Amino acid sequence: GTCKIENPNTLIDLYGIYMKDNLAVYYNNRKIIGANPKSFEIIYEEWRKDDKNVFFERKKMKNIDCESFEQVKGYFVKDYSKVFYKDSIIINANPKTIKTFDNWDFIRDDKAIFFHAKKIEKADLKTFRTLENEYAIDKNYVYFHHKKLNGVDVKTFITTEQTFGGKDRYGEIYMGKRE
């Protein structure tokens, strides 16, 4: 549904589905409750911030400290005590040691590697690297998203031109599954 714009004469398009006037901020034609239009700013895609709050889409994020909030990369953000992917807390991720990869879907801290908000079990921190098509590899395993792929040859695995495609000496792989 649509909402009544508080002051159409001062309406500004912020980023496609975000707008503000001098009295309110809107996401997808709905008022964002508690957003201050004077200090409201775009951080990345659906991440927004004003002088007192952090928002993901229209949702006021009650579990993020506004003062220490910062974007890490893409949808990854952090505050002094937590790391988030979109509006999900990445359990046990350390904001003080968080690092990014070239691939925007993966992130790491001093103890673990994550795909979006999920920990990649058994990933080797020293040899882990990201590949195209949402794959990653370390000295022991090939991964698709956060899942370890069994039966995939680490030494011969490469990604292919096909979206989500890969192959090793045993054949084609699509979305982490043997074709």
Side-chain angles (χ1 to χ4, degrees), residues 94-106:
N94 183 347
K96 291 171 185 63
T97 62
I98 208 75
K99 292 189 174 116
T100 63
F101 293 96
D102 289 340
N103 183 310
W104 288 43
D105 294 304
F106 294 89

Side-chain angles (χ1 to χ4, degrees), residues 4 31 46 56 93 103 108 170:
K4 180 180 177 282
K31 192 173 183 178
E46 285 87 3
F56 186 80
N103 183 310
R108 67 172 290 159
Y170 303 115

Side-chain angles (χ1 to χ4, degrees), residues 156-179:
T156 62
F157 180 81
I158 59 169
T159 59
T160 62
E161 295 290 316
Q162 180 185 22
T163 304
F164 305 122
K167 68 180 181 180
D168 66 3
R169 66 186 172 134
Y170 303 115
E172 299 286 321
I173 297 164
Y174 176 69
M175 292 186 77
K177 294 184 175 37
R178 185 78 58 198
E179 287 277 276

Side-chain angles (χ1 to χ4, degrees), residues 97-160:
T97 62
I98 208 75
K99 292 189 174 116
T100 63
F101 293 96
D102 289 340
N103 183 310
W104 288 43
D105 294 304
F106 294 89
I107 199 165
R108 67 172 290 159
D109 67 10
D110 57 329
K111 294 188 178 83
I113 297 170
F114 306 89
F115 176 85
H116 295 178
K118 296 185 189 243
K119 181 179 177 186
I120 300 176
E121 297 298 331
K122 301 188 191 272
D124 180 70
L125 290 171
K126 288 185 174 53
T127 62
F128 186 92
R129 62 189 172 90
T130 61
L131 303 171
E132 297 292 317
N133 293 338
E134 300 186 15
Y135 286 93
I137 196 167
D138 66 21
K139 69 179 184 177
N140 302 310
Y141 301 106
V142 174
Y143 306 88
F144 180 72
H145 292 177
H146 66 282
K147 294 180 181 132
K148 174 177 70 110
L149 304 182
N150 293 315
V152 177
D153 183 43
V154 173
K155 290 182 178 48
T156 62
F157 180 81
I158 59 169
T159 59
T160 62

